[in-house]
Amino acid sequence: MTAPLVQVRALGVHYPLGRTVLGRGAVLKALDNVSLDIPKGSFFGLVGESGSGKTTLGRAILKAAPISTGEIRFDDEEVSHDVARLRGRALKDYRKRAQLIFQDPYAALSPRMTVRDIIAEPLEVMGLTSSRMETDARVRDIARKCRLNLEHLRRYPHAFSGGQRQRISIARALVSTPSFVVADESVAALDVSIQADILNLLKSLQRDLDLTFLFISHDLSVVAHTCDQVAVMYLGQIVEQAPVADLFARPRHPYTRALLSAIPSLDPDAARTAQRLTGDIPSPADPPSGCRFHTRCPVARDRCKTEEPKMEDVSGGGTVACHFWKETLPA
Ligand code: SF4
């Protein structure tokens, strides 16, 4: 078993709401009791609907969201951190090692900066180089690795397509030589043909630069072709986690099965047995009692309304949180 680069334990990210229709002192629990290990060198997928807490978890690991309860540990060859306690110099060091690739390649790049300056900015802000010559050498190096044409470094972002802009965003995220990268819906805004190109680039960078990725996506078909392991989130909690092949072959949680049913398929049997999700995800400010999924679960029973399911280990190295996962597995 590969050692974890990131260990998340009983993590909570809570936002006080003050006085609301829910009463005084209401709290929005964007994440509630989340535990997860991200192995070194893995391409770890995090999936769920919009509002499930995926982005908040990625931001909390990067210390860009407030950590209210629990712990996040980060241990690579250079640094070992309790992320919640990071301040000052230690936080600056952590920013070099843990980076983010943004979702929207159109909004993420300043239109007034050249591509060279955009990629160089993290080096200059973090003081990682001692001369312009050294900065330029590192910019050219990462631009080549991200398959950017060096002629393009003098141009401005508006001259590029979405795929090229995302390569620029990736180069900017990797120029500080991080060991961990959060890719938050990084191909969602791109055409399908370009998505494959960017995913192939991320996979080759992972191998060549020894990176660990947290790949956040609402699209399970993208995760299936990219990730080694997957965690499924619903309303601020992880409900299932497994190696990717096992999760797709034997989804144990009813929510995972509903997400998989939403992937378009040409198989008429798949369409017939599909479990469609109905209704919207409830508010994390007022989550349902018991199992949070019970208001939308097609196989919910009375116990689900009052008792929160515990996470259990399952064969194949996965975990699932459902009272009735064994009884409700499709034949
Ligand atoms: Fe559905 Fe109950 Fe399992 Fe929750 S615990 S997923 S409501 S069957």
Side-chain angles (χ1 to χ4, degrees), residues 253-255 291-295 297-301 304 307 309 321-325 328:
H253 198 282
Y255 180 58
C291 174
R292 293 181 175 202
F293 187 53
H294 85 254
T295 54
C297 179
V299 291
R301 302 178 191 178
C304 306
E307 193 180 326
C322 169
H323 296 306
F324 301 110
W325 71 266
T328 57

Side-chain angles (χ1 to χ4, degrees), residues 105-106 148 160-168 170 190 194 197-198:
Y106 293 91
L148 286 163
F160 298 99
S161 66
Q164 286 170 315
R165 286 183 195 216
Q166 198 55 302
R167 287 170 190 277
I168 298 167
I170 294 167
L190 304 174
I194 309 295
D197 197 35
I198 295 295

Side-chain angles (χ1 to χ4, degrees), residues 123-143:
L123 296 176
E124 286 159 358
V125 169
M126 294 185 215
L128 298 180
T129 49
S130 51
S131 67
R132 185 173 173 95
M133 201 188 286
E134 189 188 351
T135 303
D136 282 339
R138 285 188 56 173
V139 168
R140 282 198 300 273
D141 180 48
I142 197 65

Side-chain angles (χ1 to χ4, degrees), residues 114-121 124 132 135-136 139 153:
T114 63
V115 172
R116 181 264 173 211
D117 290 346
I118 288 169
I119 299 174
E121 195 177 33
E124 286 159 358
R132 185 173 173 95
T135 303
D136 282 339
V139 168
L153 292 175

